[in-house]
């Protein structure tokens, strides 16, 4: 069976999004700086239908992550791009557009039931049965591959609190965002074990095994 | 002129102390885990009058930091070990005991005037004139060497907000403390530049230059 993983970009001060996120700017003020390193990579651009890009020490990690991911678990706000009336609108297709940038099926943990979205062979399924149900569905879909907990921070915190997280990679961008959404916002004390450090242009990758 | 530096241990979730700090346990619950890597080092133990210890990839960094430090700036709570009636007691000698573990004079930023403490050739001076005054005194005492902003988090945040910080090294311990005192708790957005990553037993050192 695969692992349950988190692979997420954070600021040096621990934020996964800047202040005042909106539907137009779901990453919040300055939040795009967290992802500059990955948007520049050919390995990432290819999956998102974009041309060009560079190859850095991060490329191998991104390729490894994409190759090992079988399914995604995602929170409702990450699907919808924020909080707002659109969440309840069954015609709202989420913030992700038609070219869903995922390498496997996505399971969205939500209280808002809706029919699955399908676009160009990719699917987003909405699970209202709680974390355990969503994780079980994602695990079954992933098979031997990993379940990537895509975010947001609250669903990552739920997975950690439920003792279901195997590995956590934080990609630390060299910026202080000063406010926004924290990756870690309280929780239990827990030891982790450093697996790997990779120092790359515009980012430092720290991968940890979570002691369970 | 020397630099103004921070060199501080934090948990993966961004805390410099665990929950519920007290005079008996100023690092809070679980907070001692942040410092296990340094307490184990011969380089650190020597300065603190302790025997034994090991040499790791961290040793050189600790030696470099000690050799380059000419004076310290410290917050009131870090001096007193927490908040309490002892802060106002002129007979209270602080939490640090008689063997002050510093390689230069310490300037404590406080609203509580008191006479300087001196012990075995080392001094702690209490500055009530505000951050600029305390920093000026520390800079003068440091001469060509650096001013180390020892903490706590609030004085580090003040130095950062005043645009007086040159370099920031965070020593990330592999633990989630789940609560306590955050190193970063709001502030302005600010770019930083990674200078160096050192992966050592029990800790990952990330050193940044602060863009000013």
């Amino acid at each position: 069976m695969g692992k349950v993983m988190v692979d997420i970009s954070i600021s040096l001060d621990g934020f996964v999004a800047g202040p005042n996120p909106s539907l137009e700017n779901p990453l919040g003020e300055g939040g795009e700086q967290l992802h500059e390193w990955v948007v520049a990579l050919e390995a990432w651009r290819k999956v998102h239908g974009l041309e060009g890009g560079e190859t850095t020490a991060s490329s191998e990690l991104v390729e490894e992550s994409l190759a090992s991911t079988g399914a995604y678990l995602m929170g409702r706000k990450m699907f919808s791009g924020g909080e707002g009336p659109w969440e309840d609108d069954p015609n709202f297709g989420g913030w992700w557009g038609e070219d869903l940038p995922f390498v496997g099926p996505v399971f969205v943990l939500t209280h808002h039931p809706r029919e699955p979205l399908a676009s160009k062979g990719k699917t987003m399924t909405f699970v209202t049965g709680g974390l355990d149900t969503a994780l079980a569905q994602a695990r079954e879909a992933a098979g031997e591959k990993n379940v990537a907990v895509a975010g947001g921070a609250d669903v990552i915190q739920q997975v950690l609190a439920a003792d279901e997280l195997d590995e956590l990679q934080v990609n630390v961008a060299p910026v202080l965002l000063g406010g926004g959404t924290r990756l870690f916002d309280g929780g239990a004390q827990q030891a982790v074990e450093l697996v790997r450090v990779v120092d790359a242009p515009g980012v430092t990758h720290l991968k940890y095994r979570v002691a369970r």
Side-chain angles (χ1 to χ4, degrees), chain A residues 168 191-198 205-210:
Chain A
L168 167 66
V192 295
E193 184 190 344
L194 185 73
V195 176
R196 182 178 66 190
V197 179
V198 176
H205 306 280
L206 304 179
K207 184 172 179 177
Y208 293 90
R209 191 172 296 121
V210 180

Side-chain angles (χ1 to χ4, degrees), chain A residues 101-199:
Chain A
F102 305 106
V103 296
V106 179
F107 296 86
V108 181
L109 181 61
T110 178
H111 296 290
H112 303 256
R114 61 166 69 207
E115 293 300 304
L117 288 177
S119 178
K120 304 186 180 177
K122 297 179 181 174
T123 61
M124 298 182 96
T125 302
F126 300 86
V127 184
T128 55
L131 178 66
D132 289 352
T133 305
L135 204 47
Q137 290 187 32
R139 276 194 166 114
E140 189 175 336
E144 294 297 307
K145 289 191 171 185
N146 295 332
V147 173
V149 183
D154 51 357
V155 77
I156 292 173
Q157 289 163 17
Q158 286 180 51
V159 172
L160 192 60
D163 222 13
E164 297 283 7
L165 190 62
D166 294 299
E167 288 188 1
L168 167 66
Q169 178 167 292
V170 290
N171 310 306
V172 185
V175 63
L176 299 171
L177 286 183
T181 308
R182 293 187 190 279
L183 175 55
F184 298 109
D185 202 5
Q189 293 205 352
Q190 192 156 16
V192 295
E193 184 190 344
L194 185 73
V195 176
R196 182 178 66 190
V197 179
V198 176
D199 177 16

Side-chain angles (χ1 to χ4, degrees), chain A residues 36-45 51-56 59 201:
Chain A
E36 281 170 2
W37 66 274
V38 74
V39 172
L41 296 181
E42 186 184 2
W44 183 91
R45 299 178 69 82
E51 304 210 333
E54 53 195 40
T55 299
T56 72
S59 299

